[in-house]
Amino acid sequence: MPKIRLDKFLADRGVGSRRELKDIIRSGRVSVNGVPVREAERKLDPEAEQVSLDGELISAPRLRYWMLDKPLGVVTATEDAREKTVLDLLPPELRRLGLFPVGRLDKDTSGLLILTNDGEFAHRVISPKSAVEKCYYAKVDGELNEEDVDAFREGLVLRDGTRCLPAKLELLEPGACLVRVTEGKYHQVRRMLASRGKPVLELRGMSVGTLELDEGLGPGGWKELDEKDLCRLFSPDPMGNMSKNPTVF
Ligand code: URA
């Protein structure tokens, strides 16, 4: 969205005339992103910036949601001194929106990652209480079997003693599977499979809720998500439990 002057932005919202606003702004009553701004001519991006008058919010940035096919070798962070981040994959106009990743994929994990500027939404997706299922495709060193499936269903205890919530393991081939979890502990899927003596060789995020990775995007590709896509994230979870906190968009 093109930038507009702060006084025009406030005038368009009926806060006052351009003349009155000049004084209001000069007196320091208007803040942009929490910082007082005294220049009426300050250029503003209403999609990305938050404006308040006397501490009252006048406009908040529009909440936006993006799907990214995270390539290997990129870190899930908004900035990093040495490594390329998932945000570096986006063009500058999207990087300005204050997006951040929902959850985390390891540097050597590829696949579905959601980016948003909606903190409440991100919390709901990540929280185990919401029981939003995250599905990963894994190739492992070794052969998976029905005992592994049972162990995942019962709730694994990792090598360091951490207890995991019950999860689903679906065997595809002896050395490949789908893993479905409703929590996101550090390196969780790798550690779960390692605890069964089957270290991960390859890991790819496939879906979050019933929102599936669009394989047409290709590594590093992205697309904006709409309301329909987001509702699907919070549909009754496929593990059979209704979410304790059903979300309405
Ligand atoms: N679990 C992992 O171990 N790594 C990921 O990147 C995602 C889930």
Side-chain angles (χ1 to χ4, degrees), residues 43-157:
K43 290 281 178 112
L44 178 82
D45 180 348
E47 293 240 319
E49 299 186 279
Q50 179 174 300
V51 182
S52 42
L53 171 65
D54 297 333
E56 294 266 323
L57 204 60
I58 301 227
S59 85
R62 185 152 76 87
L63 300 175
R64 311 273 300 263
Y65 311 86
W66 300 82
M67 172 186 288
L68 173 72
D69 184 345
K70 178 194 167 299
L72 298 172
V74 172
V75 295
T76 305
T78 52
E79 51 185 35
D80 192 283
R82 278 165 300 156
E83 309 269 14
K84 187 168 177 172
T85 73
V86 288
L87 281 185
D88 292 332
L89 299 166
L90 303 179
E93 65 271 21
L94 299 187
R95 262 184 267 148
R96 275 195 290 104
L97 298 178
L99 302 176
F100 52 85
V102 177
R104 184 178 179 282
L105 294 180
D106 303 330
K107 187 175 170 186
D108 51 354
T109 300
S110 65
L112 173 58
L113 187 67
I114 299 170
L115 300 169
T116 185
N117 58 353
D118 182 349
E120 204 182 305
F121 164 84
H123 176 73
R124 287 203 306 257
V125 173
I126 294 166
S127 170
K129 279 195 203 139
S130 308
V132 174
E133 198 178 75
K134 292 98 190 167
C135 177
Y136 300 89
Y137 169 83
K139 272 192 181 160
V140 298
D141 184 8
E143 297 205 351
L144 294 154
N145 56 42
E146 289 302 325
E147 280 174 30
D148 297 320
V149 175
D150 291 344
F152 271 65
R153 191 187 303 118
E154 279 158 26
L156 284 171
V157 178

Side-chain angles (χ1 to χ4, degrees), residues 22 34 61 68 95 162 221 224-225:
K22 215 167 180 184
L68 173 72
R95 262 184 267 148
T162 304
E224 187 157 20
L225 297 171

Side-chain angles (χ1 to χ4, degrees), residues 65-67 114 211 223-227 229-230 233:
Y65 311 86
W66 300 82
M67 172 186 288
I114 299 170
L211 178 70
K223 69 174 185 184
E224 187 157 20
L225 297 171
D226 62 22
E227 220 164 89
D229 298 319
L230 298 167
L233 274 164

Side-chain angles (χ1 to χ4, degrees), residues 137-191:
Y137 169 83
K139 272 192 181 160
V140 298
D141 184 8
E143 297 205 351
L144 294 154
N145 56 42
E146 289 302 325
E147 280 174 30
D148 297 320
V149 175
D150 291 344
F152 271 65
R153 191 187 303 118
E154 279 158 26
L156 284 171
V157 178
L158 304 180
R159 285 177 172 162
D160 66 356
T162 304
R163 182 168 282 282
C164 298
L165 291 173
K168 275 185 187 165
L169 180 68
E170 186 183 326
L171 306 184
L172 300 175
E173 295 160 36
C177 62
L178 291 174
V179 176
R180 294 190 167 87
V181 293
T182 55
E183 55 185 345
K185 298 185 197 304
Y186 183 65
H187 287 166
Q188 175 150 356
V189 174
R190 290 175 199 276
R191 287 158 75 210

Side-chain angles (χ1 to χ4, degrees), residues 6-7 9-11 13 15 21 23-39 42 44-46 48-61:
L6 179 58
D7 55 353
F9 173 81
L10 291 168
R13 274 151 191 81
V15 176
L21 284 166
D23 293 337
I24 292 174
I25 294 169
R26 201 176 294 143
S27 67
R29 293 169 58 196
V30 176
S31 298
V32 177
N33 304 328
V35 178
V37 168
R38 292 171 193 271
E39 299 80 38
R42 154 75 146 86
L44 178 82
D45 180 348
E49 299 186 279
Q50 179 174 300
V51 182
S52 42
L53 171 65
D54 297 333
E56 294 266 323
L57 204 60
I58 301 227
S59 85

